[in-house]
């Protein structure tokens, strides 16, 4: 389960209002508010931008790690994310069909994620990271 409570804690620790944070990320304040209370999720790209803004790891932001610092300060790319998904799948000798079954999606969905054509949702990325036992930062940036 994705824990969004740290998103609010991080923002408040830096004395940034929801209005200011929503402007930084480029969304409405109400959209940002929904993320903080867990009624909806940021896109993977927005999460990476949020984490990079504060210099924290994606895993820390989502409460998956207590290690705050992240040495990554790169632009997020769905293409790189897709390549990393494919590398992990091949490294573990999984077919696209097998991975699709595990993720409860179609094989075509896996193909589109791996090519960076379709934006993977944060909950699906979270499940993939758990399945492959890697950090979200590794999934999004480099392996």
């Amino acid at each position: 389960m994705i824990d969004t409570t740290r998103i609010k804690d991080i923002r408040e620790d830096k004395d940034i209002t929801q209005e200011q944070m929503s402007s930084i990320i480029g969304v409405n304040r109400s959209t940002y508010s929904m993320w903080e209370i867990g009624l909806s999720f940021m896109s993977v790209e927005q999460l990476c931008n949020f984490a990079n803004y504060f210099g924290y790891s994606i895993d820390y932001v989502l409460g998956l790690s207590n290690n705050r610092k992240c040495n990554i300060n790169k632009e997020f790319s769905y293409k790189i994310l897709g390549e990393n998904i494919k590398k992990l799948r091949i490294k573990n000798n999984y077919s696209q069909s097998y991975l699709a079954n595990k993720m409860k999606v179609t094989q075509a969905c896996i193909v589109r994620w791996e090519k960076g054509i379709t934006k993977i949702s944060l909950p699906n990325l979270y499940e993939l990271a758990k399945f492959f036992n890697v950090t979200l930062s590794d999934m999004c940036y480099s392996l």
Side-chain angles (χ1 to χ4, degrees), residues 26-113:
V27 296
N28 294 326
R29 190 209 53 81
S30 60
T31 299
Y32 180 82
S33 175
M34 300 282 273
W35 296 341
E36 282 194 357
I37 58 177
L39 292 179
S40 66
F41 296 107
M42 295 178 181
S43 71
V44 176
E45 186 173 11
Q46 290 163 331
L47 174 63
C48 291
N49 290 339
F50 181 91
N52 281 337
Y53 180 82
F54 293 104
Y56 292 153
S57 73
I58 299 166
D59 299 272
Y60 177 79
V61 170
L62 293 179
L64 302 172
S65 166
N66 288 323
N67 183 9
R68 289 180 185 218
K69 293 300 173 192
C70 181
N71 295 330
I72 298 166
N73 195 13
K74 298 178 186 175
E75 282 288 314
F76 170 78
S77 160
Y78 281 102
K79 182 178 181 205
I80 291 171
L81 172 59
E83 290 168 359
N84 288 338
I85 292 169
K86 184 175 183 175
K87 284 178 193 174
L88 286 166
R89 180 182 58 76
I90 290 170
K91 177 182 174 187
N92 289 282
N93 294 316
Y94 297 140
S95 67
Q96 288 175 336
S97 177
Y98 177 81
L99 186 57
N101 249 353
K102 286 293 183 184
M103 293 298 299
K104 297 181 174 78
V105 297
T106 65
Q107 183 176 345
C109 188
I110 300 296
V111 170
R112 290 190 302 269
W113 289 347

Side-chain angles (χ1 to χ4, degrees), residues 116-142:
I117 296 170
T118 301
K119 296 178 178 182
I120 186 171
S121 70
L122 184 55
N124 279 334
L125 180 62
Y126 174 80
E127 290 302 319
L128 271 179
K130 279 187 354 184
F131 180 72
F132 288 123
N133 195 30
V134 297
T135 69
L136 287 168
S137 294
D138 285 344
M139 291 280 299
C140 289
Y141 295 107
S142 64

